[in-house]
C-alpha cells in the first residue's frame, strides 16, 4: 500500500514538472532571426557575425508567426522578382554582362558562401566562378584585356578583427567559357581586414587600377578604435605591375564606404571614402601623389558614433549632389545639395533607418532626377525608395520597396535591356539570403 501511494505521488510530481516546463518554454524569449550570441553582450554586425543558411527566420515556430503583426504594405512602384536564395551571409551583388551577350547578369557574394556564383540573364541559371575564395567580402568587375568579358577582383579571407584576417586581394578571369569555373589571374596583395575593393579609372585610360580599403588599421582592437588609428587606402595599377601604392593614411578608424567617381570632372576617377572621418575625396596627381579633401564630416555625434557609412554621387538640376548613410551602420539618409555659392548643404531626409548598409541611386523615370534606394541589414521591412518632390532635392517622399528584405547591398541595373538603368537589385543579409530584382512598374 505504501508503495502504491509513493508511485502515485511520483506520478503527480512528474506531471507538475511537465506543466512548469511547458509554461517556461512558452514565455521564454525567442532568439532573433538570424542572430548569434556575441561574447560580452556586444551588438553584432554583419562584418563580424557571419551566419549560415540554416539559421534565421526558419527557426520561428508557428505560434510565434501567428502573434506577429502583419508586415507593412509595399508602396514603391516595383515588381519584386526572386532570383536566388541561400547565398549564405549575403553581402554584395554586381550587375554586369559576364558572357558578352548584351544582357545584364548578376554576381552574388556571401560572407560565408562556399563559392562565388553568377546568374545568367534571363534564365538566371547559376554558374560557379570560384570556390577558392573563402570568407569573401567584396568584389568588382572590369574588362582588363578587352575580350568583352570582365575580370573580377575579389577581397576574401575577411575578418573585422584585423589580427584574425588574411585579407587577400586577387583577380579571377574566365578560362575560355565563362559558364565554367574561372581561374586565378593574379594574387595582388594581403592586407588584414580588407573590406572594399573596386576597379577605378584613375589615369583616364581605363579601369586598370584596383583600389582597396581595409575597414580598420591592422593594429586596431575593434570598431571602437579608442586610439583613433589611421586606416590606409591603397591603389594597385596594372601599368605598375600591381604594386602597392599608398593613397592616404589620413582616414581614422572605420572606413566602410568606397566609391570611384570623377568628382572634379577631370576625365578620370577620384576615390571617395566614407567612415568615422566623414566623407573624403582622394584625387590622383602626377607621379603617384594624391590629395585628400573632406566634403562632409557626416554625423556630428562623438567618436565612434559619428561620420558616415556609405556615399553615392549624382546630379540634380544640373548640379552635382551626393547622398550618404550616417553614421556607420546608421539610421540617417542624408542628401547634400549645392547652394548658390556652390557650397554643399546637409539635409537629413530620413532618420528611421535600421542599421543602414545599402545605398544606391537610380533614375527610374528618365527625368534626370535620380531617386535614392536605401536599406538596412538587421530587420526585414527595411528597404526604402526616396523620390524628390522638388528639383532642388531638399524635399523627398519615402516609400517602402519590400516588407521582406534586410538589404546589405543594392545596385541599379538594366535587367530588361531597355537601354536605361531603371531596375534595382538587392542582396539580403539575413536568412533566406535572397537575391532580388526590383522591376520598376511606375509611370
Amino acid at each position: 500500500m505504501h508503495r502504491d501511494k509513493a508511485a502515485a505521488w511520483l506520478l503527480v510530481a512528474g506531471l507538475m514538472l511537465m506543466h512548469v516546463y511547458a509554461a517556461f518554454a512558452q514565455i521564454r524569449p525567442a532568439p532573433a532571426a538570424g542572430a548569434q550570441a556575441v561574447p560580452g553582450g556586444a551588438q553584432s554586425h554583419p562584418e563580424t557575425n557571419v551566419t549560415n543558411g540554416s539559421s534565421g527566420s526558419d527557426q520561428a515556430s508557428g505560434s510565434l508567426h501567428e502573434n506577429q503583426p502583419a508586415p507593412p504594405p509595399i508602396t514603391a512602384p516595383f515588381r519584386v522578382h526572386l532570383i536566388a536564395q541561400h547565398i549564405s551571409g549575403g553581402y554584395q551583388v554586381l550587375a554586369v554582362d559576364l558572357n558578352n551577350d548584351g544582357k545584364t547578369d548578376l554576381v552574388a557574394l556571401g560572407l560565408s558562401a562556399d563559392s562565388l556564383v553568377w546568374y545568367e540573364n534571363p534564365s538566371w541559371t547559376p554558374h560557379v566562378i570560384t570556390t577558392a575564395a573563402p570568407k569573401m567580402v567584396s568584389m568588382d568587375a572590369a574588362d582588363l584585356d578587352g575580350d568583352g568579358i570582365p575580370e573580377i577582383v575579389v577581397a576574401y579571407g575577411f575578418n573585422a578583427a584585423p589580427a584574425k584576417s588574411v585579407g587577400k586581394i586577387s583577380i579571377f578571369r574566365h578560362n575560355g567559357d565563362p559558364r565554367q569555373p574561372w581561374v586565378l589571374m593574379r594574387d595582388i596583395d594581403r592586407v588584414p581586414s580588407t573590406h572594399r575593393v573596386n576597379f577605378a579609372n584613375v589615369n583616364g585610360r581605363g579601369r586598370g587600377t584596383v583600389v582597396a580599403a581595409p575597414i580598420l588599421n591592422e593594429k586596431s582592437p575593434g570598431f571602437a578604435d579608442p586610439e583613433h588609428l589611421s586606416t590606409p587606402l591603397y591603389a594597385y595599377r596594372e601599368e605598375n605591375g600591381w604594386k602597392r601604392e599608398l593613397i592616404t593614411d589620413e582616414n581614422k578608424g572605420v572606413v566602410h564606404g568606397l566609391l570611384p567617381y570623377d568628382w572634379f570632372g577631370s576625365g578620370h576617377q577620384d576615390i571617395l571614402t566614407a567612415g568615422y572621418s566623414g566623407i573624403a575625396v582622394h584625387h590622383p596627381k602626377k607621379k603617384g601623389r594624391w590629395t585628400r579633401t573632406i566634403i562632409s564630416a557626416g554625423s556630428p555625434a562623438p567618436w565612434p558614433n559619428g561620420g558616415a557609412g556609405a556615399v553615392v554621387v549624382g546630379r540634380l538640376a544640373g548640379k552635382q549632389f551626393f547622398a550618404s548613410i550616417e553614421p556607420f551602420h546608421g539610421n540617417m539618409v542624408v542628401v547634400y545639395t549645392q547652394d548658390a555659392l556652390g557650397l554643399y548643404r546637409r539635409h537629413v531626409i530620413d532618420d528611421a533607418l535600421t542599421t543602414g548598409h545599402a545605398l544606391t541611386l537610380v533614375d527610374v523615370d528618365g527625368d534626370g532626377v535620380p531617386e535614392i534606394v536605401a536599406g538596412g541589414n538587421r530587420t526585414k521591412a527595411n528597404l526604402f525608395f526616396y523620390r524628390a518632390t522638388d528639383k532642388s532635392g531638399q524635399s523627398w517622399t519615402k516609400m517602402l520597396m519590400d516588407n521582406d528584405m534586410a538589404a546589405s547591398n543594392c545596385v541599379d541595373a538594366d535587367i530588361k535591356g531597355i537601354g536605361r538603368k531603371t531596375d534595382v537589385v538587392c542582396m539580403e543579409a539575413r536568412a533566406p539570403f535572397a537575391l532580388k530584382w526590383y522591376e520598376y512598374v511606375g509611370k
Side-chain angles (χ1 to χ4, degrees), residues 182-222:
W182 293 31
V183 296
L184 176 67
M185 172 183 153
R186 186 180 187 93
D187 287 326
I188 291 181
D189 203 354
R190 294 190 178 202
V191 181
S193 291
T194 294
H195 180 253
R196 295 282 187 253
V197 288
N198 279 100
F199 284 111
N201 179 9
V202 300
N203 57 15
R205 298 192 297 270
R207 297 177 65 211
T209 298
V210 170
V211 180
I215 197 169
L216 287 166
N217 182 286
E218 64 180 8
K219 296 181 180 179
S220 174

Side-chain angles (χ1 to χ4, degrees), residues 246-263:
L246 179 67
I247 296 176
T248 186
D249 59 2
E250 294 183 60
N251 293 323
K252 308 292 184 182
V254 165
V255 174
H256 192 259
L258 182 67
L259 176 70
Y261 188 87
D262 185 2
W263 178 263

Side-chain angles (χ1 to χ4, degrees), residues 6 19 96 109 118 161 188 213 227 247 271 274 276 286 304 309 367 420:
H19 282 295
V96 60
L109 178 152
W118 71 277
I188 291 181
E227 296 184 18
I247 296 176
I271 307 301
Y276 287 177
K286 293 181 179 179
D367 65 352
R420 289 191 300 110

Side-chain angles (χ1 to χ4, degrees), residues 54-67:
S54 63
S55 65
S57 56
D58 296 337
Q59 294 174 333
S61 66
S63 61
L64 290 174
H65 281 301
E66 291 170 5
N67 295 329

Side-chain angles (χ1 to χ4, degrees), residues 11-367:
L11 177 60
V12 171
L15 290 171
M16 290 176 67
L17 284 171
M18 289 175 63
H19 282 295
V20 170
Y21 177 81
F24 173 76
Q26 289 178 354
I27 64 173
R28 60 189 273 190
Q36 291 181 337
V38 179
Q43 181 183 3
S44 64
H45 292 287
E47 282 82 7
T48 57
N49 182 30
V50 180
T51 60
N52 58 48
S54 63
S55 65
S57 56
D58 296 337
Q59 294 174 333
S61 66
S63 61
L64 290 174
H65 281 301
E66 291 170 5
N67 295 329
Q68 290 177 349
I74 295 173
T75 54
F78 291 89
R79 181 180 295 116
V80 184
H81 303 266
L82 178 64
I83 304 297
Q85 289 181 310
H86 310 302
I87 302 162
S88 186
Y91 203 69
Q92 190 188 352
V93 58
L94 284 180
V96 60
D97 182 2
L98 277 192
N99 56 352
N100 201 21
D101 66 352
K103 298 182 178 67
T104 300
D105 307 302
L106 300 173
V107 189
L109 178 152
L111 289 167
S112 50
D114 58 9
S115 57
L116 183 64
V117 177
W118 71 277
Y119 296 86
E120 186 174 356
N121 187 353
S123 66
W124 305 120
T125 302
H127 306 288
V128 173
I129 294 174
T130 183
T131 59
K135 298 181 180 179
M136 299 170 284
V137 69
S138 185
M139 61 179 171
D140 198 12
D143 186 4
L144 300 177
D145 56 14
D147 68 350
I149 298 175
E151 284 65 46
I152 297 177
V153 62
V154 183
Y156 58 105
F158 175 75
N159 193 302
K164 301 178 181 179
S165 175
V166 177
K168 291 193 70 173
I169 306 166
S170 301
I171 299 176
F172 295 86
R173 70 178 313 278
H174 71 94
N175 196 23
D177 182 357
R179 295 179 179 89
Q180 299 301 315
W182 293 31
V183 296
L184 176 67
M185 172 183 153
R186 186 180 187 93
D187 287 326
I188 291 181
D189 203 354
R190 294 190 178 202
V191 181
S193 291
T194 294
H195 180 253
R196 295 282 187 253
V197 288
N198 279 100
F199 284 111
N201 179 9
V202 300
N203 57 15
R205 298 192 297 270
R207 297 177 65 211
T209 298
V210 170
V211 180
I215 197 169
L216 287 166
N217 182 286
E218 64 180 8
K219 296 181 180 179
S220 174
F223 289 155
D225 196 13
E227 296 184 18
H228 299 199
L229 297 176
S230 296
T231 302
L233 181 66
Y234 295 122
Y236 306 85
R237 305 182 196 231
E238 183 179 24
E239 62 194 53
N240 292 338
W242 305 106
K243 294 178 181 178
R244 182 192 290 185
E245 172 186 328
L246 179 67
I247 296 176
T248 186
D249 59 2
E250 294 183 60
N251 293 323
K252 308 292 184 182
V254 165
V255 174
H256 192 259
L258 182 67
L259 176 70
Y261 188 87
D262 185 2
W263 178 263
F264 294 106
S266 59
H268 53 74
Q269 290 180 317
D270 307 292
I271 307 301
L272 280 72
T273 55
Y276 287 177
S277 294
I279 301 169
V281 179
H282 307 85
H283 180 65
K285 307 286 282 187
K286 293 181 179 179
K287 298 181 179 180
R289 295 182 297 109
W290 295 76
T291 61
R292 176 177 176 268
T293 305
I294 296 291
I295 57 174
S296 171
S299 169
W303 183 289
N305 299 313
V311 61
V312 290
V313 185
R315 300 192 72 80
L316 276 172
K319 293 184 177 181
Q320 187 165 275
F321 84 106
F322 63 101
S324 62
I325 290 176
E326 299 178 8
F328 163 57
H329 288 174
N331 63 307
M332 292 182 285
V333 180
V334 183
V335 171
Y336 292 83
T337 59
Q338 295 186 57
D339 62 16
L341 299 177
L343 302 175
Y344 284 97
R345 301 300 181 185
R346 183 174 184 262
H347 313 279
V348 178
I349 66 170
D350 189 7
D351 62 0
L353 203 62
T354 303
T355 321
H357 207 274
L359 182 67
T360 193
L361 299 178
V362 57
D363 185 1
V364 294
D365 47 17
D367 65 352

